[in-house]
């Protein structure tokens, strides 16, 4: 494999040292010297190959679709870390036109092909790991050839069991044990399947990982809008989908429909999907025709619609979003997992399902309803109960969306990739790929008044009103975006957020924070200390003023007037973070207009921060307060700004030492874990890690950027990229916090889940971090420089 000198994505620029070696052990010596050129590291030109053995589109089957979705997610997250190739499984003489990632094919019914494939893989220098999507039906004609193939491979093999049958006979048990013995790891999709493998097959538990079936993130469109699009009016919609076969037991629903129609005459049952190709070969359309006959017998022609197509994914997801209830009626109690109802849950569908293991594991009383196999009367009762209870459907929808988010394909990709990295013996090092810059959700959240405070999922919650805090940060994001891209649309958002700030200032020069949808300032303004909000407003105004060369003169002049009006109130501030925000704003203003009163106020506020630091700090606690709370990185950032203006050496020392201390408390080999909003870190005490907020990570990214720009120490660049990767899944849950489908950011990282709401603070925080890191990004995204401006 060739090597070349190239950019190292983990630290934003290339480095001559391995990342683990970049430390702050001699930082004072580094900072005292003139910045030296950063050497280039040698990293592989071509990433290691992962070979996935699976059925693959255009072959139509569930596992083919599963593998396509997994590979797409892996490429979207980790294309810089590994190259994914496919060995497509074929079970007959059909000839398919495959996409470029297909490197090998295997006709599973021909015994000689297995040995040839094993030799080819063993001799292929690029392939490092093999992932096999296993279904017993794939290899039923050549079971021994497949077993020999596994044991002939000389590279690490991971097997994914899509079917796990309980209570095996001795032949099946031995076969599974022999498969496991040839593999370094086993993946299943439910904890029930893992339990069966350990208890019924005696497989070692520590060799088995559970990675749930992936689901698609959806940028939600209203149910009514989609019903109108598909000419469904206001009808109540029941849906099922998938390749049609007798195992789907569609007749269970058709037999239940007369009772449902008598209560809801506008009901429509959508049966989406072609008949399974293997069924068509053997039996033609016999099963579909039997269903159509049953529909006519019941006189249900106006209540059942067969969509005999393999729908494109976007269209399928829209049908699921317009669905009022999703029905999963399989009659196979041993079906381990269903991708179809997982997809339905991810689209917000209340699900009624037969009790397959996957359903029993995922559908609780809060997330769905289970009925007995083949029991049409029970199904009718459950459907009627759910259709009559709109609050219950809404509650199930919300709970389902929260429960299913961990299974998003992006999270599935992360969990797979972590395993690949662990088993690759150093040949795969994960590098999270930067998402394109996407303002879609920022724009969804912003109207002519300003950016709305909260969201329910990805929809603005207008009842939550607006805050100065959010609009000040949104002004900074809009300015950052305009500064980078000169996008004319960004000017509209600059004007909107600037106008909101102007609404909030009082004649006294102080700002109010909370505004309702009627543009009235609420009582909360008079029950809350607003110093931090005032500080953020001055930071935002100062940042805007610093862009005087590219923004309209009238806007800059007006911002200066507002800043000066509010600035004198800042002299009375004693809130630590409020003073820090103001120092940042003063420095930005000072960079445009070097006025003495700005300089003097920076010195005044920095002196207060210095005294706080001197009072609280000791050999083990280099900080300004007796606890680490929120927005911590703003404090060393402010001291850096103060030193840059005043050149006071003590400010520089405090800035460096306090940031070093903060890094030591929030970074580890696993990434960053910012201080929780559920409990501060008190001096000398442990703290609750859960309840991490995007805003704290974003401030950390911005602070590390400021320190890198000043000192050119790659240590800061390394930590900045690690911090940003928190949004992409390098966190204690190994889950995305940024939602690439919407462009929004989830509201927090809790102990066991993300908070799926995507409010203003979190989304603006993500964009602050993403726009900050853009200047250090690799010059190529998806093979070319690309910015997604929506």
């Amino acid at each position: 494999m060739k090597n070349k000198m190239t950019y190292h994505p983990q630290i934003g620029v290339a480095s001559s040292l391995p990342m683990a070696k970049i430390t702050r052990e001699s930082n004072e010596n580094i900072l005292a010297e003139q910045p030296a050129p950063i050497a280039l590291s040698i990293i592989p030109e071509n990433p290691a190959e992962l070979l996935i053995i699976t059925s693959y589109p255009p072959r139509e089957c569930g596992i083919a679709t599963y593998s396509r979705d997994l590979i797409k997610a892996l490429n979207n997250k980790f294309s810089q870390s590994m190259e994914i190739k496919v060995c497509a499984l074929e079970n007959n003489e059909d000839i398919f036109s495959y996409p470029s990632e297909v490197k090998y094919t295997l006709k599973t019914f021909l015994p000689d092909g297995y040995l040839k494939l094993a030799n080819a893989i063993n001799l292929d220098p690029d392939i490092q790991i093999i992932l096999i999507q296993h279904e017993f039906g794939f290899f039923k004609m050549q079971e021994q050839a497949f077993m020999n193939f596994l044991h002939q491979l000389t590279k690490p093999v991971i097997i994914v069991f899509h079917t796990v049958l309980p209570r095996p006979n001795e032949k099946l048990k031995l076969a599974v044990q022999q498969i496991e013995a040839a593999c370094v790891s086993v993946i299943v999709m439910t904890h029930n399947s893992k339990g069966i493998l350990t208890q019924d097959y005696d497989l070692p538990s520590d060799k088995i990982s559970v990675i749930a079936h992936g689901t698609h993130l959806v940028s939600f469109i209203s149910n009514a809008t989609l019903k109108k699009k598909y000419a469904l009016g206001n009808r109540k919609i029941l849906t099922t989908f998938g390749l049609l076969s007798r195992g789907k037991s569609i007749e269970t629903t058709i037999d239940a429909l007369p009772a449902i129609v008598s209560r809801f005459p506008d009901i429509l049952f959508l049966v989406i999907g072609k008949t399974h190709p293997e069924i068509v070969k053997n039996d033609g359309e016999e099963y579909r025709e039997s269903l159509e006959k049953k529909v006519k017998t019941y006189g249900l022609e106006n209540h059942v619609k067969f969509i005999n197509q393999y729908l494109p994914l976007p269209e399928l997801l829209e049908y699921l979003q317009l669905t009022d209830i999703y029905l999963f009626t399989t009659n196979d109690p041993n079906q381990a997992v269903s991708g179809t109802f997982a997809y339905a849950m991810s689209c917000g569908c209340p699900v009624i399902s037969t009790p397959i293991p996957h359903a029993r594991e995922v559908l609780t009383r809060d997330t769905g309803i289970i009925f007995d196999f083949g029991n049409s009367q029970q199904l009718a009762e459950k459907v009627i109960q759910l259709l009559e209870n709109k609050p219950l459907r809404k509650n199930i929808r919300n709970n389902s969306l929260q429960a299913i988010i961990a299974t998003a394909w992006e999270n599935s990709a992360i969990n797979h990739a972590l395993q690949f990295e662990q088993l690759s013996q150093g040949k795969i090092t994960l590098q999270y790929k930067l998402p394109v810059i996407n303002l879609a959700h920022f724009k969804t959240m912003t109207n002519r008044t300003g950016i709305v405070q909260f969201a329910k999922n990805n929809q603005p919650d207008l009842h939550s009103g607006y805050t100065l805090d959010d609009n000040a940060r949104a002004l900074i994001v809009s300015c950052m975006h305009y500064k980078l891209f000169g996008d004319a649309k960004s000017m509209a958002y600059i004007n909107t957020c600037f106008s909101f700030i102007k609404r909030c200032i009082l004649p006294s020069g102080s700002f109010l924070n909370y505004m309702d949808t009627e543009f009235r300032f609420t009582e909360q303004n008079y029950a809350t200390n607003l110093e931090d909000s005032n500080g953020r407003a001055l930071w935002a105004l100062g940042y805007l003023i610093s862009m005087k060369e590219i923004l309209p003169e009238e806007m800059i002049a007006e911002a200066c007037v507002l800043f000066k009006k509010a600035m004198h109130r800042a002299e009375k501030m004693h809130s630590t973070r409020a003073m820090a925000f103001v120092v940042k704003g003063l420095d930005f203003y000072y960079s445009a207009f070097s006025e003495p009163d700005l300089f003097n106020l920076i010195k005044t506020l920095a002196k207060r921060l210095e005294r706080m630091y001197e009072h609280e700090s000791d050999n083990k606690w280099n900080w300004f307060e007796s606890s680490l709370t929120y927005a911590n990185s703003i404090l060393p950032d402010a001291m850096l700004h103060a030193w840059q203006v005043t050149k006071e050496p003590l400010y520089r020392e405090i800035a460096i030492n306090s940031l070093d201390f903060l890094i030591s408390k929030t970074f580890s080999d696993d990434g960053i874990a910012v201080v929780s909003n559920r409990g501060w870190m008190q001096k000398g005490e442990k703290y609750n890690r859960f309840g991490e907020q995007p805003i704290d990570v974003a401030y950390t990214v911005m602070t590390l950027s400021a320190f890198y720009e000043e000192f050119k120490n790659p240590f800061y660049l390394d930590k900045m990229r690690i911090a940003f990767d928190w949004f992409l899944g390098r966190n204690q849950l190994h889950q995305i916090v940024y939602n690439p489908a919407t462009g929004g950011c989830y509201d927090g990282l809790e102990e066991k889940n993300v908070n799926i709401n995507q409010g203003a603070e979190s989304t603006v925080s993500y964009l602050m971090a993403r726009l900050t890191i853009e200047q250090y990004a690799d010059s190529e995204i998806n093979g070319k420089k690309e910015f997604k401006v929506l």
Side-chain angles (χ1 to χ4, degrees):
M1 187 178 294
K2 295 180 180 179
N3 295 305
K4 69 175 183 178
M5 311 294 277
T6 188
Y7 166 88
H8 196 311
Q10 284 289 344
I11 60 174
V13 299
S15 169
S16 61
L17 298 174
M19 286 176 52
K21 298 294 185 183
I22 300 175
T23 70
R24 291 274 286 112
E25 291 172 0
S26 56
N27 199 34
E28 282 300 314
N29 293 332
I30 293 173
L31 298 179
E33 300 170 357
Q34 292 295 321
I38 300 174
L40 295 170
S41 64
I42 298 177
I43 65 173
E45 177 181 1
N46 298 313
E49 274 189 12
L50 165 73
L51 182 69
I52 301 183
I53 300 176
T54 179
S55 58
Y56 204 65
R59 179 176 173 181
E60 294 176 348
C61 84
I63 292 178
T65 303
Y66 173 93
S67 294
R68 179 200 63 198
D69 291 340
L70 175 60
I71 288 170
K72 181 180 178 181
L74 284 165
N75 282 330
N76 285 342
K77 296 293 292 183
F78 301 110
S79 62
Q80 296 167 314
S81 309
M82 66 189 84
E83 185 172 2
I84 300 173
K85 295 296 183 181
V86 173
C87 172
L89 301 176
E90 299 176 347
N91 63 348
N92 53 48
E93 295 295 346
D94 288 346
I95 298 175
F96 295 104
S97 178
Y98 289 112
S100 60
E101 60 266 25
V102 175
K103 189 172 188 177
Y104 302 105
T105 60
L106 174 66
K107 292 193 178 296
T108 56
F109 58 93
L110 298 177
D112 295 345
Y114 289 86
L115 177 59
K116 292 177 181 177
L117 178 61
N119 289 335
I121 292 172
N122 291 338
L123 294 172
D124 191 325
D126 295 324
I127 295 173
Q128 303 300 325
I129 292 181
I130 302 145
L131 179 73
I132 300 176
Q133 305 292 349
H134 181 274
E135 180 63 65
F136 288 101
F138 284 163
F139 310 107
K140 64 182 179 181
M141 298 179 67
Q142 296 295 338
E143 292 177 356
Q144 191 57 51
F146 173 67
M147 198 70 69
N148 294 340
F149 164 76
L150 284 178
H151 287 272
Q152 286 159 349
L153 291 170
T154 59
K155 298 179 179 182
V157 177
I158 302 170
I159 195 102
V160 182
F161 282 121
H162 286 256
T163 296
V164 178
L165 298 174
R167 300 175 296 280
N169 57 33
E170 285 303 313
K171 180 181 177 182
L172 177 59
K173 180 176 181 178
L174 179 61
V176 170
Q177 289 176 338
Q178 289 176 337
I179 291 172
E180 175 269 325
C183 301
V184 295
S185 179
V186 174
I187 294 174
V188 292
M189 298 182 198
T190 67
H191 292 280
N192 179 78
S193 293
K194 180 175 180 177
I196 292 171
L197 287 178
T198 56
Q199 295 167 22
D200 293 8
Y201 292 83
D202 298 326
L203 266 57
S205 176
D206 59 359
K207 199 171 180 178
I208 306 170
S209 301
V210 178
I211 302 179
H213 192 296
T215 56
H216 293 281
L217 295 173
V218 175
S219 182
F220 288 95
I221 306 171
S222 77
N223 181 288
T225 299
L226 289 172
K227 285 183 178 179
K228 182 177 180 181
K229 175 178 177 178
Y230 290 98
L232 296 173
N234 294 320
R235 300 185 73 172
K236 296 286 190 296
I237 305 298
L238 310 176
T239 300
T240 194
F241 85 91
L243 292 171
L244 213 58
S245 68
R246 292 189 183 276
K248 298 284 187 183
S249 193
I250 306 299
E251 62 273 15
T252 300
T253 301
I254 294 174
D255 288 339
L257 275 177
I260 299 170
V261 170
S262 67
R263 177 64 183 84
F264 293 95
D266 63 343
I267 202 77
L268 179 64
F269 176 40
L270 300 179
V271 183
I272 301 172
K274 296 171 62 175
T275 302
H276 197 291
E278 296 302 309
I279 302 294
V280 172
K281 286 178 184 176
N282 297 323
D283 303 321
E285 290 288 359
E286 179 182 318
Y287 180 57
R288 182 183 297 275
E289 291 167 358
S290 73
L291 296 175
E292 291 170 343
K293 183 178 180 180
K294 185 180 281 284
V295 168
K296 289 181 181 179
T297 300
Y298 282 127
L300 295 171
E301 292 92 336
N302 293 327
H303 300 282
V304 180
K305 181 178 180 180
F306 290 92
I307 302 175
N308 187 14
Q309 300 176 52
Y310 197 84
L311 291 181
L313 179 64
E315 188 175 349
L316 173 62
L317 295 178
E318 287 190 343
Y319 269 110
L320 291 175
Q321 287 180 77
L322 64 79
T323 296
D324 293 290
I325 301 175
Y326 184 81
L327 304 178
F328 182 76
T329 56
T330 182
N331 56 18
D332 180 4
N334 294 323
Q335 182 172 341
V337 67
S338 167
T340 65
F341 87 65
Y343 280 24
M345 288 180 70
S346 72
C347 289
C349 297
V351 174
I352 299 178
S353 172
T354 48
I356 66 167
H358 190 188
R360 293 200 308 270
E361 194 165 299
V362 173
L363 299 182
T364 67
R365 60 186 296 178
D366 297 320
T367 57
I369 295 174
I370 289 176
F371 76 104
D372 295 333
F373 293 104
N375 192 328
S376 297
Q377 179 181 344
Q378 194 179 78
L379 174 60
E381 292 169 356
K382 301 293 186 184
V383 169
I384 292 169
Q385 172 193 349
L386 203 47
L387 287 176
E388 287 179 336
N389 193 334
K390 187 174 181 179
L392 177 60
R393 293 204 309 276
K394 182 178 180 181
N395 187 54
I396 289 176
R397 166 189 163 85
N398 292 336
N399 291 333
S400 296
L401 289 172
Q402 181 64 74
I404 207 71
I405 192 63
T407 70
W409 278 116
E410 288 77 4
N411 294 329
S412 177
I414 291 167
N415 283 285
H416 278 88
L418 288 169
Q419 192 161 137
F420 302 154
E421 181 182 46
Q422 180 184 0
L423 299 173
S424 71
Q425 299 177 328
K427 294 173 183 176
I428 293 176
T429 301
L430 295 186
Q431 302 163 4
Y432 289 79
K433 183 178 177 182
L434 284 178
V436 293
I437 294 169
N438 184 352
L439 299 184
H441 189 60
F442 177 87
K443 294 179 179 181
T444 297
M445 291 292 293
T446 306
N447 56 34
R448 287 180 293 180
T449 301
I451 191 165
V452 177
Q453 182 177 194
F454 297 141
K456 294 179 179 178
N457 200 320
N458 68 325
Q459 297 302 308
D461 179 7
L462 292 175
H463 296 295
S464 67
Y466 310 85
T467 68
L468 172 66
D469 287 335
D470 292 329
N471 281 275
R473 288 184 286 254
L475 176 61
I476 293 172
V477 162
S478 301
C479 287
M480 292 172 76
H481 194 271
Y482 185 74
K483 189 175 182 179
L484 279 170
F485 308 124
D487 176 26
K489 292 181 181 178
S490 295
M491 271 305 304
Y493 294 97
I494 291 173
N495 281 312
T496 296
C497 297
F498 182 44
S499 295
F500 188 92
I501 292 175
K502 289 188 288 184
R503 285 178 183 239
C504 294
I505 195 166
L506 298 173
S508 64
S510 62
F511 292 90
L512 296 179
N513 188 39
Y514 302 100
M515 181 188 290
D516 65 19
T517 54
E518 302 298 323
F519 316 124
R520 297 171 302 203
F521 289 104
T522 68
E523 290 300 317
Q524 193 173 355
N525 287 290
Y526 309 102
T528 307
N529 187 326
L530 298 182
E531 279 199 358
D532 283 8
S533 301
N534 280 252
R536 291 186 191 96
L538 285 169
W539 172 30
L541 289 171
Y543 191 85
L544 184 147
I545 292 165
S546 73
M547 293 172 56
K548 71 182 181 75
E549 300 300 328
I550 58 175
L551 293 178
E553 287 184 20
E554 302 81 9
M555 176 181 284
I556 299 299
E558 194 172 7
C560 288
V561 170
L562 287 177
F563 194 101
K564 287 295 188 71
K565 184 177 181 180
M567 184 179 84
H568 298 292
R569 302 277 303 182
E571 295 180 21
K572 300 177 182 179
M573 285 184 179
H574 289 85
S575 165
T576 317
R577 281 150 194 80
M579 291 189 293
F581 286 124
V582 173
V583 168
K584 285 167 62 73
L586 287 165
D587 183 20
F588 284 122
Y589 192 137
Y590 192 78
S591 69
F593 303 102
S594 302
E595 299 174 6
D597 54 343
L598 302 173
F599 182 92
N600 292 334
L601 185 53
I602 289 173
K603 287 189 67 174
T604 297
L605 297 178
K607 189 68 176 176
R608 288 178 192 164
L609 291 171
E610 173 204 328
R611 288 172 180 165
M612 296 177 74
Y613 180 84
E614 294 295 340
H615 181 267
E616 291 293 343
S617 63
D618 55 39
N619 291 335
K620 295 182 179 180
W621 189 264
N622 296 322
W623 199 243
F624 304 82
E625 300 159 313
S626 61
S627 60
L628 291 172
T629 58
Y630 64 97
N632 294 299
S633 61
I634 290 296
L635 305 184
D637 193 10
M639 296 307 290
L640 177 65
H641 280 272
W643 171 68
Q644 288 170 328
V645 174
T646 67
K647 300 305 177 186
E648 169 58 53
L650 184 56
Y651 298 165
R652 174 182 177 276
E653 180 183 338
I654 292 173
I656 293 170
N657 290 341
S658 59
L659 182 58
D660 279 353
F661 172 75
L662 183 61
I663 288 171
S664 74
K665 296 298 183 182
T666 54
F667 283 83
S668 69
D669 291 341
D670 297 326
I672 186 174
V674 292
V675 175
S676 167
N677 68 343
R678 294 181 179 273
W680 308 135
M681 181 190 293
Q682 303 294 332
K683 184 189 291 190
E685 296 180 7
K686 293 184 178 180
Y687 76 107
N688 181 0
R689 284 188 57 187
F690 310 115
E692 299 173 58
Q693 301 297 298
I695 192 167
D696 288 295
V697 180
Y699 285 158
T700 302
V701 169
M702 298 175 83
T703 296
L704 290 164
S705 172
F707 274 69
Y708 176 74
E709 288 302 309
E710 180 60 39
F711 300 120
K712 300 302 180 188
N713 182 352
F715 169 81
Y716 296 126
L717 210 53
D718 174 35
K719 296 301 182 188
M720 181 180 64
R721 184 57 205 260
I722 291 171
F724 183 79
D725 284 348
W726 180 90
F727 290 100
L728 308 182
R730 188 175 179 180
N731 52 55
Q732 52 101 0
L733 288 183
H734 305 305
Q735 292 184 27
I736 56 169
V737 185
Y738 167 66
N739 183 328
T742 64
C745 180
Y746 297 126
D747 278 352
L749 196 69
E750 305 299 339
E751 181 175 0
K752 296 181 179 179
N753 59 274
V754 296
N755 180 336
I756 63 170
N757 296 323
Q758 299 162 54
E761 179 184 292
S762 55
T763 295
V764 169
S765 296
Y766 166 79
L767 287 170
M768 281 181 169
R770 179 63 185 87
L771 291 165
T772 296
I773 207 167
E774 177 58 24
Q775 61 188 304
Y776 311 104
D778 191 354
S779 61
E780 292 190 352
I781 297 178
N782 294 330
K784 62 181 180 179
K785 193 70 174 179
E786 179 180 354
F787 303 107
K788 188 175 184 181
V789 183
L790 300 177

